[in-house]
Amino acid sequence: MLVRLEPREWLMIGHGVLALFACIVAGSIIVEIQLNQLTYWLDFVQVFNLRRVAEGAYLAYVLGTEYYIKAAWQVGTIAATSRSLDVTLLGFGVNLPTQVSFDASLALDFVQTAWKQGLEYAYVGKRYLSECWADYRPYLRLLLQQVK
């Protein structure tokens, strides 16, 4: 009769199969290397080989078949200089300055001059209104007495 295996037993079987697979692959690679050295046929590995061709691109040989694998695609770049940060995304570029400087002295001079002139005009206006008030005050009292 068949008896159910416990998880520890399944784990032991899995380890054994994995070790057998590793031995077979390592043995195949060793045999292939030895045959290539004996026959001077060192063009490429026949069982398994993976190498990096460029950044984000890999070339794999599996059982004599070549596969090109692209793991990353460039969609943008970021470049930093001492004065700006250049961001390019999907062909569109943006240049961001890292330090913004502008000269506000002209605007501040204008505001300061306007403030001084405003104070002068306010003083002149106050003096003019006080003179007018002194001149027309008796007439306004007389008018208010007649209205009551």
Side-chain angles (χ1 to χ4, degrees):
M1 277 178 80
L2 293 175
V3 179
R4 282 197 139 169
L5 297 175
E6 292 185 12
R8 282 183 79 192
E9 293 171 337
W10 280 111
L11 189 62
M12 186 181 297
I13 292 171
H15 284 279
V17 169
L18 187 63
L20 178 65
F21 179 75
C23 288
I24 291 172
V25 169
S28 298
I29 291 173
I30 291 171
V31 166
E32 179 181 344
I33 290 170
Q34 290 298 322
L35 282 174
N36 285 338
Q37 286 179 355
L38 287 173
T39 60
Y40 299 105
W41 188 48
L42 299 172
D43 290 338
F44 60 91
V45 179
Q46 296 291 322
V47 176
F48 178 75
N49 188 15
L50 179 68
R51 64 185 172 106
R52 182 175 171 187
V53 179
E55 188 172 333
Y58 299 93
L59 195 58
Y61 292 103
V62 178
L63 299 175
T65 307
E66 180 179 327
Y67 297 101
Y68 181 76
I69 303 165
K70 188 159 185 162
W73 291 270
Q74 183 176 355
V75 294
T77 59
I78 298 175
T81 62
S82 62
R83 296 177 185 239
S84 67
L85 180 68
D86 300 325
V87 179
T88 305
L89 184 63
L90 297 175
F92 298 104
V94 177
N95 186 359
L96 303 170
T98 55
Q99 180 180 3
V100 178
S101 63
F102 57 92
D103 187 17
S105 62
L106 184 65
L108 292 175
D109 289 342
F110 175 75
V111 169
Q112 188 175 10
T113 305
W115 178 259
K116 286 181 182 179
Q117 284 183 346
L119 287 177
E120 289 176 11
Y121 289 149
Y123 180 71
V124 170
K126 179 184 173 188
R127 189 173 38 157
Y128 176 73
L129 284 175
S130 70
E131 289 174 1
C132 288
W133 179 255
D135 290 341
Y136 294 114
R137 189 172 181 185
Y139 300 117
L140 289 174
R141 279 192 179 166
L142 182 65
L143 183 67
L144 281 174
Q145 287 175 359
Q146 289 184 4
V147 170
K148 285 185 187 181

